[in-house]
Amino acid sequence: SQKIEQNSEALNIQEGKTATLTCNYTNYSPAYLQWYRQDPGRGPVFLLLIRENEKEKRKERLKVTFDTTLKQSLFHITASQPADSATYLCALILTGGGNKLTFGTGTQLKVEL
Amino acid sequence: NAGVMQNPRHLVRRRGQEARLRCSPMKGHSHVYWYRQLPEEGLKFMVYLQKENIIDESGMPKERFSAEFPKEGPSILRIQQVVRGDSAAYFCASSPPGSRSYGYTFGSGTRLTVV
């Protein structure tokens, strides 16, 4: 069956550390992989996109890696801050799947002082 | 640029009533997507529309649900004869043409409660 799995347990880290979130998928062929942030009661906010032929993408304190052999993406937040506390969602746009996003269930990140 | 506007933010309906959810995409965006988020679950794709056309409705329940995106005005997601299981947050996203390689902009959602 097709699945997109993210850490189901919340991730608690200390301020200033690097947070690493995982997105694993099975039986999908993504053309693009995207990461979104969602705060309680709000819609998702786009953070980064990485293409199937790219290994790594960076934006300020954010870094995404994409390994199509392992079928895995890692999302890193360096020098984390309490304001980074949110739920982070990975989403795939599939090859031949049109424009729709297929989302994972998300990982809740809490950055503590 | 006001972003994607959804209204109402909260909607309460009794079982059997109709719910109408509205979405105005960002200026210049001609593609609209509707997603549903059930409590403790991820976002599930429902339907993808362009102006006056339904492009992909593979995620729409077969009955009671319909969507439109007219030439003028917002996109509407309509749920007829609502049941308790329809209670969820409904999010709309928009994107410009040729947008597979760009992130999508989401609205703040409509929280539907069926009592």
Side-chain angles (χ1 to χ4, degrees), chain B residues 29-89:
Chain B
H29 286 192
S30 56
H31 298 201
V32 165
Y33 313 81
W34 285 93
Y35 289 81
R36 177 165 64 175
Q37 189 170 38
L38 293 165
E40 307 303 324
E41 291 190 19
L43 284 147
K44 302 294 185 191
F45 169 78
M46 298 182 75
V47 63
Y48 162 36
L49 309 105
Q50 296 177 18
K51 285 282 186 181
E52 299 184 280
N53 282 306
I54 297 175
I55 306 303
D56 182 350
E57 57 182 348
S58 58
M60 286 281 268
K62 293 287 183 275
E63 298 176 348
R64 302 188 296 108
F65 285 72
S66 62
E68 62 176 9
F69 189 15
K71 188 176 179 181
E72 302 290 338
S75 175
I76 306 287
L77 179 67
R78 183 179 175 208
I79 311 172
Q80 294 178 291
Q81 299 173 324
V82 295
V83 302
R84 287 239 170 93
D86 297 331
S87 296

Side-chain angles (χ1 to χ4, degrees), chain A residues 38-51:
Chain A
Q38 187 174 24
D39 291 282
R42 310 294 296 179
V45 174
F46 171 72
L47 297 174
L48 278 171
L49 174 149
I50 190 163
R51 294 171 172 76

Side-chain angles (χ1 to χ4, degrees), chain A residues 2 4 23 25 28-36 46 48-53 66 68 89-104, chain B residues 31 33 35 45 48 56 93-96 98-106:
Chain A
Q2 295 176 314
I4 304 172
C23 175
Y25 59 92
Y28 282 118
S29 296
Y32 304 92
L33 188 147
Q34 303 186 11
W35 283 88
Y36 288 79
F46 171 72
L48 278 171
L49 174 149
I50 190 163
R51 294 171 172 76
E52 60 176 334
N53 59 351
F66 194 14
T68 54
L89 307 167
C90 74
L92 308 181
I93 291 187
L94 304 177
T95 304
N99 285 12
K100 68 186 180 192
L101 290 168
T102 302
F103 280 92
Chain B
H31 298 201
Y33 313 81
Y35 289 81
F45 169 78
Y48 162 36
D56 182 350
S94 73
S95 67
S99 57
R100 295 186 83 215
S101 57
Y102 297 93
Y104 296 175
T105 304
F106 281 80

